[in-house]
Amino acid sequence: MNLHHVFVCGNPALDFAATLRARRSTRFEMFASPDRLDAWYLESGVVDSVSPAGQSDVELATSVREAVYELVTARRLGEEFGEAALAALNDAARKPAAAPQLTRAGRWTAATQEEALATVAREAVEVLSGPDVPLLKECGNPECTRVYIDRSRGMRRQWCGMESCGNKIKAAAYRARKKTAESAPAH
């Protein structure tokens, strides 16, 4: 498993929720250290610079991430929101968010850890209350638990991303068909 963050979900909050990978099996934690949280904020484009995270920042971000995942799953399945998850998300979203500034070089957003997390939390509020709710889908790979916004024609997208899951599933299906064909008795 690589250590680079992946952004295939169509929304920063959904990509944030996907930083705990393979929730139903091996559970791979992308925020294994404070510098990995910092890297996510920068790689996602949520902010251009962020104050260095400490372990408490990772713990808070992880708890908000789990709240986002729980709320996204509830929304996708048409279930009621859990009170604790709502409180965790709203508490983070209530904090001041990162404010972009105009510089001679263009737009620049510097943030504290709290501001970066508030920015992601506000993205979650928007995606969970906006027009994309009917487009939320979970990846068709049974090992993957990413939820993405399906903007494909006819809502036919099956995987979070071809590079990450689609190719793996297609290759496995091909190998299974080939093995079945090779083991079938010739007529």
Side-chain angles (χ1 to χ4, degrees), residues 12-146:
L14 298 176
D15 287 315
F16 190 73
T19 57
L20 178 59
R21 305 243 182 103
R23 289 171 181 271
R24 289 188 276 275
S25 59
T26 56
R27 297 177 65 90
F28 185 81
E29 176 60 70
M30 294 303 292
F31 295 158
S33 62
D35 65 314
R36 296 304 304 146
L37 175 61
D38 296 344
W40 188 91
Y41 287 133
L42 299 175
E43 292 171 24
S44 71
V46 169
V47 298
D48 298 302
S49 69
V50 65
S51 59
Q55 192 56 42
S56 63
D57 297 310
V58 173
E59 290 164 11
L60 180 58
T62 300
S63 70
V64 171
R65 177 198 63 202
E66 292 308 298
V68 170
Y69 182 78
E70 180 183 322
L71 295 167
V72 166
T73 300
R75 178 61 88 210
R76 193 174 55 76
L77 299 176
E79 297 173 354
E80 292 292 317
F81 288 146
E83 290 301 319
L86 266 178
L89 176 63
N90 287 331
D91 187 48
R94 199 174 290 119
K95 304 282 193 317
Q101 301 291 296
L102 184 62
T103 69
R104 284 183 175 79
R107 181 182 188 274
W108 186 262
T109 306
T112 64
Q113 287 290 319
E114 184 177 82
E115 291 167 337
L117 185 57
T119 302
V120 173
R122 290 177 184 199
E123 288 278 350
V125 169
E126 293 304 316
V127 78
L128 289 168
S129 63
D132 290 334
V133 167
L135 307 179
L136 296 176
K137 283 173 82 173
E138 187 178 71
C139 182
N141 177 351
E143 292 295 310
C144 183
T145 53
R146 285 189 188 114

Side-chain angles (χ1 to χ4, degrees), residues 176-187:
R177 284 193 308 273
K178 190 172 180 184
K179 186 176 182 179
T180 301
E182 288 172 357
S183 63
H187 292 284

